Amino acid sequence: QVHLVESGGGLVQAGESLRLSCAASGLAFSGYTMAWFRQAPGKERAFVARITYSRNTYYVDSVKGRFTISRDNAQNMVYLQMNRVKPEDAAVYYCAASGNNGYFPENYKYWGQGTQVSVSS
């Protein structure tokens, strides 16, 4: 059974940094594309970043240069380093895994329960 467990969310001031973590189990982690999505109240779940098995990375334009996705295949972990956080980054952040690639939630088979990121201005 696949489990994805996010951690690291919380309240952060605008301009500061936060690091999200996702612990994966029950899957051949190194072969999966891992991604972060986010969902703000009243909005659809949206792509933030992904990292392929070969460590190619992709970001939504709004976080380029501020967020960094990384993975540790030895520990089955994926991270999202969030720098210079903005109020519009506030959302529930979800970790997701896919045997393929993509920018849409339907491209991802496995999901975590989410972690809340709140930003004070």
Side-chain angles (χ1 to χ4, degrees):
Q1 190 172 3
V2 176
H3 290 285
L4 302 178
V5 181
E6 303 96 335
S7 60
L11 176 63
V12 62
Q13 282 197 326
E16 295 188 340
S17 298
L18 199 64
R19 188 196 198 201
L20 305 183
S21 300
C22 172
S25 60
L27 75 170
F29 181 80
S30 62
Y32 277 75
T33 287
M34 301 300 297
W36 289 95
F37 285 76
R38 64 187 179 188
Q39 188 167 18
K43 295 189 176 181
E44 295 186 350
R45 194 167 297 189
F47 171 81
V48 176
R50 65 181 169 99
I51 183 167
T52 68
Y53 71 93
S54 57
R55 301 180 187 275
N56 292 322
T57 58
Y58 305 85
Y59 299 92
V60 67
D61 285 347
S62 60
V63 308
K64 284 180 180 176
R66 299 189 298 121
F67 290 11
T68 302
I69 188 170
S70 61
R71 67 189 298 159
D72 181 343
N73 288 343
Q75 299 294 326
N76 286 8
M77 296 289 294
V78 62
Y79 304 98
L80 185 69
Q81 179 66 44
M82 305 168 60
N83 296 331
R84 303 193 304 281
V85 173
K86 300 179 179 180
E88 53 262 42
D89 294 323
V92 177
Y93 282 71
Y94 296 92
C95 175
S98 172
N100 301 303
N101 287 303
Y103 295 96
F104 301 100
E106 53 265 35
N107 298 134
Y108 292 80
K109 183 175 182 179
Y110 302 113
W111 292 86
Q113 82 289 348
T115 186
Q116 176 71 51
V117 173
S118 301
V119 183
S120 62
S121 56

